[in-house]
Amino acid sequence: MAVRRPDSLADSFATSYAGVVAFLAVAAEGNFAKAGDRLGIGRSAISRSVQKLEAQLGVRLFVRTTRSTALTVEGQRFYDQCHPGVERIVRALDDMRELREGPPSGPLHVSSTVSFGRQVVAPLLAGFRESHPHISIELRLGDSPVDLVNERVDIAFRNGRMEDSQVIARKLIPMRRVLCASPAYVARYGLPQSIDALAEHRCVNLRLASGRLHEWVFRSEGEWRKVVPNAMLTFNDADLVLQSVLDGHGVAQLADYQVVRHLRAGALVACLPQVAPDDYGHYLCFLSRRHLPARMRAFIDYMTAHIRALDLPDAIS
């Protein structure tokens, strides 16, 4: 039969922590009644807790008379060792209250897809930092799926359709997928007049981080239709796809935030808006609504308000 080795950590949990708290209160107040008042419990409860602690430790902690209460030698030694630990716990509690109730502060780890991060999230960070100078931000860009837990990401921006029930997903704005080309391309080749007509056009496509080619999605007569075009040019970077379309090399289906300013400026022309999908979105994602740090609440509220103010869909209708 194996002999159980002493484990000071496990044994410490068997010690009455109520007794330790009562002991420290009596030592600080010099009186059982005052210690009870400080802790909001009766004098008899304080006395029982201290007696139980003395029994567990096997020493007397106080010398008590009708007029005074003083620490024994052993009690003083126990107090000297306990007090610094309690002070650290109190400071930790105060620090957590300041994080929760004081000005938002501390680090935030934020993730976003590359193009959305560059064009939408990053330009808003300077304004956020002006409003919240005590919050530091690390923005990580990548098009691969993000594991919020294992990658220690506080907030992630995602595009498309949200099907992950493990995260809280706040829809910021609708996401439109816009089929478009440059005026120079239109002058030379015209615009496709139907989904089937895409086969007759020069297309530019994106290879996703997963290695798959980007499927162009359409909503026609209430039915989903997905097309992988026979592309003349393919890139693994969405911004390169956009630049190729701006340069007149072909037609591509791009996200609204990529093309909105180019559509407004006349540098791009949209086509087939009647079959653009309407149930995609740009989402801000995090793991839980419970006990959110003030810095996360501040960032979520700021980004939600400012991204919605961009009013992207109206420029594409």
Side-chain angles (χ1 to χ4, degrees):
M1 180 177 178
V3 177
R4 178 183 178 273
R5 297 178 60 188
D7 184 333
S8 59
L9 179 61
D11 290 344
S12 71
F13 279 99
T15 302
S16 170
Y17 281 99
V20 174
V21 172
F23 161 76
L24 291 170
V26 175
E29 297 293 338
N31 183 285
F32 277 72
K34 290 181 180 179
D37 291 340
R38 181 173 179 176
L39 297 179
I41 58 179
R43 181 188 184 286
S44 60
I46 291 284
S47 181
R48 285 195 300 271
S49 293
V50 171
Q51 287 172 5
K52 183 178 179 180
L53 179 63
E54 289 177 324
Q56 289 170 334
L57 298 176
V59 297
R60 290 185 66 194
L61 299 173
F62 293 105
V63 176
R64 283 163 276 188
T65 69
T66 55
R67 294 186 177 182
S68 65
T69 299
L71 287 166
T72 63
V73 172
E74 293 80 9
Q76 185 64 55
R77 180 173 178 175
F78 188 61
Y79 178 83
D80 290 342
Q81 293 187 61
C82 287
H83 190 258
V86 172
E87 285 295 311
R88 286 194 292 271
I89 291 172
V90 170
R91 285 197 298 270
L93 291 170
D94 289 342
D95 185 54
M96 290 300 101
R97 290 191 191 98
E98 288 176 5
L99 284 176
R100 184 74 180 178
E101 300 168 5
S105 63
L108 269 181
H109 299 96
V110 181
S111 171
S112 175
T113 54
V114 175
S115 187
F116 190 80
R118 285 176 179 164
Q119 297 190 38
V120 178
V121 179
L124 294 175
L125 294 183
F128 176 77
R129 286 277 298 120
E130 287 182 9
S131 301
H132 302 90
H134 301 297
I135 300 176
S136 62
I137 299 171
E138 178 182 334
L139 176 61
R140 309 171 190 172
L141 301 183
D143 291 325
S144 298
V146 175
D147 186 325
L148 297 180
V149 176
N150 292 326
E151 297 182 42
R152 300 180 66 83
V153 171
D154 297 307
I155 294 168
F157 292 91
R158 295 182 180 175
N159 304 323
R161 300 172 69 189
M162 289 304 302
E163 299 175 352
D164 187 350
S165 61
Q166 301 301 310
V167 301
I168 307 299
R170 175 182 289 188
K171 188 173 182 177
L172 300 170
I173 50 176
M175 175 182 173
R176 297 283 297 279
R177 289 188 173 186
V178 186
L179 194 67
C180 54
S182 71
Y185 178 91
V186 175
R188 187 171 182 181
Y189 300 104
L191 284 174
Q193 300 302 307
S194 67
I195 300 172
D196 292 331
L198 286 171
E200 304 168 6
H201 280 263
R202 298 167 182 259
C203 297
V204 184
N205 204 9
L206 173 71
R207 187 171 294 279
L208 304 172
S210 64
R212 294 185 300 106
L213 288 169
H214 180 222
E215 292 181 323
W216 294 9
V217 182
F218 302 96
R219 187 89 165 171
S220 178
E221 298 180 353
E223 299 292 329
W224 286 101
R225 186 168 175 186
K226 296 181 179 181
V227 176
V228 179
N230 184 20
M232 302 298 294
L233 287 169
T234 302
F235 301 94
N236 69 344
D237 183 278
D239 290 336
L240 291 179
V241 174
L242 170 62
Q243 189 59 54
S244 182
V245 175
L246 287 168
D247 292 341
H249 297 312
V251 179
Q253 189 180 63
L254 295 160
D256 47 13
Y257 64 87
Q258 288 183 276
V259 300
V260 59
R261 63 188 178 92
H262 301 295
L263 290 168
R264 286 172 174 159
L268 289 178
V269 177
C271 64
L272 300 180
Q274 70 275 14
V275 293
D278 56 7
D279 65 343
Y280 282 68
H282 300 286
Y283 294 88
L284 186 152
C285 304
F286 50 99
L287 284 176
S288 176
R289 289 190 177 95
R290 294 187 60 199
H291 307 306
L292 276 181
R295 62 184 179 276
M296 283 186 63
R297 293 199 311 274
F299 187 83
I300 290 169
D301 291 345
Y302 184 94
M303 285 293 169
T304 299
H306 284 75
I307 291 175
R308 286 176 177 170
L310 295 176
D311 212 15
L312 296 179
D314 287 350
I316 297 162
S317 300

